[in-house]
Amino acid sequence: MNPAHQGSTPGNVESDVGRVRIFDTTLRDGEQAPGFSMDRRAKLRMAQALEALGVDIIEAGFPQASPDDFAAVAEIARTLRTPTVAALARCQPGDIDSAGRALEGARHSRIHLFLSTSPLHREHKLGKSKQEVIDIAATAIERAKALAHEVEFSAEDALRTEPDYLAEIFSVAVEAGACVLNAPDTVGYTTPAEITEMFRYLQQNVRGAEKVIFSAHCHDDLGMAVANSLAAISAGARQVECTINGIGERAGNAALEEIVMALHTRRPLFKLDTGIVTQHLYPTSRLLTEVTGQAVPRNKAIVGDNAFAHESGIHQHGMLKHRGTYEIMSPQDVGAKTSLVLGKHSGRHALRQRLVELDYEVDETTLDAVFERFKVVADRQRSVTNDDLVALMGAYEAENETAAVAVQS
């Protein structure tokens, strides 16, 4: 038992009205996915970036998984100043004690307990009855409560658990001392309508629901993790668990940057905000690609290379007239930039704009001639660079000079 943690109380639930807490699990759920493993140094770099990003809770790892993961959690707990540092633990004494020891240096700590609750998991994974699972959860929460400032309880596979049983085990969790209740869509099975109904049911049927924060943790197996997370938020969840770039088991977790910018861009609809410094989203995304060696798809929302890139001539013309024609958020708000990519779909307006940016004086005759040559180059390669344009203009100007000399002769 850590005396410093005795008598600790969870954060004030009422203070989070109008705000969604961001629980980042990049370093735990994300890192345990194939291809995304990080060593201790990389995890600390990411943790510090997540702190600068404004993440509320950082799940630093699973201390019982390995000595290195224990050391990484302990180092992150000692180093970070502003976020709550969480450690994952099964509802087993060894896991809980390991998490407590790893978190001893944290300014604010959380043990994140999880236990399967669905019929499928109870029968085939645990081999336990409903009551046995409830008793295990209560005992584990009471033990964890003495070792950290707060305890979160996750009902693994919650969205495939009987609603009345889920409400009962959550009620017992509240009585045992949990201050955050997480109902994860562990296998990415649910839909927005179903998760909305579930979260509303839980808030109406969990005893002591007004004392705790409800959390959503959605996986992307059917491509609905972000939509399901936003639906849960609309239904009353005030914590959402997510990862940078959406990394995680199988098809990944809900992407932090997408949830945050959906709430930010559609604030009049959701009437909610986060504490995220959105200008750090793109740099944090790129840091993750650096430490894992895994690239972000070009078409990835918010942080992909194409998120604010435009090649179509129609779109480029609109963008040159007014950015709002084809961009619903400012790229600067996420630390990125707009890019008008010159390719075979680009038109005269974008070409003229780029040539002017390169300090060329372009009249209609010049534009007509260069545009024709530009299209030939664009058909041969995916994009036309500034160097290509300089070469085109150089060739065009040289031909004009030659022609002028010939006329004078």
Side-chain angles (χ1 to χ4, degrees), residues 168-330:
E168 179 58 27
I169 195 169
F170 273 164
S171 297
V172 171
V174 175
E175 293 164 5
C179 66
V180 179
L181 303 177
N182 181 36
D185 182 21
T186 303
V187 291
Y189 181 73
T190 197
T191 66
E194 290 171 321
I195 202 168
T196 296
E197 182 179 358
M198 175 64 81
F199 271 85
R200 287 176 177 164
Y201 176 88
L202 291 173
Q203 290 171 91
Q204 293 167 0
N205 291 277
V206 171
R207 297 186 300 278
E210 71 284 354
K211 303 175 185 177
V212 299
I213 293 172
F214 285 90
S215 179
H217 177 124
C218 298
H219 279 263
D220 209 34
D221 297 72
L222 292 176
M224 292 186 282
V226 171
N228 286 332
S229 298
L230 293 171
I233 290 169
S234 294
R238 286 299 175 266
Q239 176 180 287
V240 63
E241 307 189 4
C242 44
T243 61
I244 298 295
N245 297 343
I247 69 170
E249 290 282 8
R250 303 179 312 280
N253 287 269
L256 181 153
E257 62 277 2
E258 295 179 25
I259 293 171
V260 167
M261 290 311 294
L263 295 174
H264 179 83
T265 305
R266 302 302 307 277
R267 186 179 284 114
L269 173 65
F270 289 102
K271 296 180 174 61
L272 295 165
D273 209 344
T274 70
I276 295 297
V277 182
T278 61
Q279 292 81 2
H280 287 203
L281 287 171
Y282 187 87
T284 307
S285 165
R286 286 308 181 267
L287 175 60
L288 182 60
T289 68
E290 177 188 335
V291 301
T292 62
Q294 301 292 332
V296 176
R298 292 189 66 90
N299 66 326
K300 172 73 173 63
I302 314 301
V303 293
D305 286 343
N306 286 356
F308 299 98
H310 310 269
E311 182 184 330
S312 163
I314 296 171
H315 286 211
Q316 290 176 338
H317 188 198
M319 286 291 298
L320 291 170
K321 293 290 186 180
H322 191 287
R323 186 189 61 79
T325 53
Y326 290 102
E327 285 184 355
I328 61 170
M329 67 193 92
S330 168

Side-chain angles (χ1 to χ4, degrees), residues 62-74:
F62 186 2
Q64 188 73 347
S66 73
D68 191 64
D69 219 35
F70 179 97
V73 173

Side-chain angles (χ1 to χ4, degrees), residues 326-373:
Y326 290 102
E327 285 184 355
I328 61 170
M329 67 193 92
S330 168
Q332 289 76 22
D333 283 350
V334 303
K337 295 180 180 179
T338 292
S339 174
L340 298 186
V341 179
L342 295 180
K344 69 177 184 178
H345 304 105
S346 300
R348 294 162 56 88
H349 297 283
L351 177 59
R352 181 199 293 274
Q353 177 69 22
R354 182 67 61 82
L355 291 174
V356 169
E357 291 173 359
L358 293 172
D359 294 326
Y360 288 105
E361 294 183 8
V362 185
D363 57 25
E364 288 301 316
T365 301
T366 300
L367 183 62
D368 289 341
V370 175
F371 183 68
E372 186 175 330
R373 300 172 188 219

Side-chain angles (χ1 to χ4, degrees), residues 126-181:
L126 299 179
K128 303 289 185 182
S129 69
K130 286 183 175 181
Q131 188 58 50
E132 285 176 317
V133 172
I134 287 176
D135 292 342
I136 291 169
T139 300
I141 292 167
E142 290 169 358
R143 187 183 191 97
K145 189 179 176 184
L147 300 175
H149 293 108
E150 56 190 42
V151 177
E152 173 176 343
F153 176 71
S154 287
E156 187 178 9
D157 206 21
L159 270 296
R160 294 193 296 177
T161 299
E162 307 94 318
D164 59 340
Y165 178 63
L166 186 61
E168 179 58 27
I169 195 169
F170 273 164
S171 297
V172 171
V174 175
E175 293 164 5
C179 66
V180 179
L181 303 177

